[in-house]
């Protein structure tokens, strides 16, 4: 029986042999060692339907970059995102407010007073969209026959 790689995720770099078995490393080589994120195609394919401007999408991707584990909500600073994408912190803050307004993120405060973003509303929206996506239907049908 073939053994699967033991790569576990955040800040864990697979051995060269393990990396060779992971498609992300095959596609992006050494650039993948710096980190990567999985984003559902539905997010990109439905950008307009989700009321996301180009700025909103880039801000959202930056927020999601900090969502390493399902039970740990991201808490990126608007100033950090602004520096990365070359916008003002105020522009990023407005985008974050828009993401909350259109129901894709929920802004919360944790026990220590830190602002965090719950991406579960985005997950639910994408799950609602999925049944109308042709690629989803094909893949779901394949998954149900194997």
């Amino acid at each position: 029986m073939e053994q699967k790689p033991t790569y576990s995720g955040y800040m864990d770099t697979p051995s060269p042999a393990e990396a060779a078995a992971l498609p992300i490393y095959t596609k992006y080589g050494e650039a993948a060692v710096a980190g990567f994120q999985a984003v559902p195609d539905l997010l990109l394919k439905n950008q307009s339907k989700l009321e996301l401007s180009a700025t909103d999408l880039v801000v959202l991707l930056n927020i999601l970059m900090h969502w390493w584990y399902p039970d740990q909500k991201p808490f990126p600073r608007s100033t950090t995102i602004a520096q990365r994408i070359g916008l003002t912190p105020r522009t990023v803050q407005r985008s974050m407010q828009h993401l909350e307004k259109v129901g894709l993120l929920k802004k919360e405060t944790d026990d220590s007073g830190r602002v965090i973003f719950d991406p579960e509303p985005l997950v639910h929206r994408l799950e609602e969209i999925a049944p109308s996506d042709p690629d989803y239907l094909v893949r779901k049908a394949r998954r149900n026959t194997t």
Side-chain angles (χ1 to χ4, degrees):
M1 177 181 276
E2 184 179 329
Q3 200 171 26
K4 294 194 178 213
T6 57
Y7 174 67
S8 65
Y10 177 68
M11 298 302 279
D12 184 12
T13 304
S15 70
E18 291 170 331
L22 296 169
I24 193 77
Y25 287 93
T26 303
K27 289 187 336 188
Y28 292 104
E30 283 297 304
V33 174
F36 54 87
Q37 66 180 358
V39 178
D41 289 349
L42 287 172
L43 176 60
L44 303 175
K45 290 164 62 175
N46 292 280
Q47 180 179 345
S48 177
K49 186 178 204 172
L50 294 167
E51 301 178 50
L52 296 173
S53 69
T55 298
D56 295 333
L57 182 60
V58 174
V59 169
L60 179 59
L61 290 173
N62 271 269
I63 292 169
L64 295 176
M65 185 177 97
H66 294 272
W67 191 29
W68 301 308
Y69 301 104
D71 61 337
Q72 295 178 6
K73 297 171 186 166
F75 52 93
R77 296 177 53 150
S78 58
T79 53
T80 301
I81 294 173
Q83 289 173 349
R84 284 185 193 146
I85 63 179
L87 296 174
T88 65
R90 184 66 192 122
T91 299
V92 172
Q93 291 165 358
R94 278 193 296 270
S95 181
M96 290 172 160
Q97 289 169 348
H98 177 75
L99 293 168
E100 189 175 13
K101 179 182 170 191
V102 297
L104 300 180
L105 292 176
K106 184 177 177 189
K107 186 176 177 181
E108 301 174 348
T109 305
D110 69 8
D111 295 336
S112 66
R114 180 176 53 189
V115 173
I116 59 175
F117 293 93
D118 184 352
E120 282 303 314
L122 169 66
V123 173
H124 293 301
R125 281 286 292 283
L126 294 175
E127 288 176 337
E128 289 171 359
I129 293 169
S132 64
D133 181 75
D135 295 324
Y136 168 82
L137 295 172
V138 168
R139 289 179 177 131
K140 183 173 178 166
R142 283 185 194 151
R143 188 173 67 187
N144 289 340
T145 60
T146 56

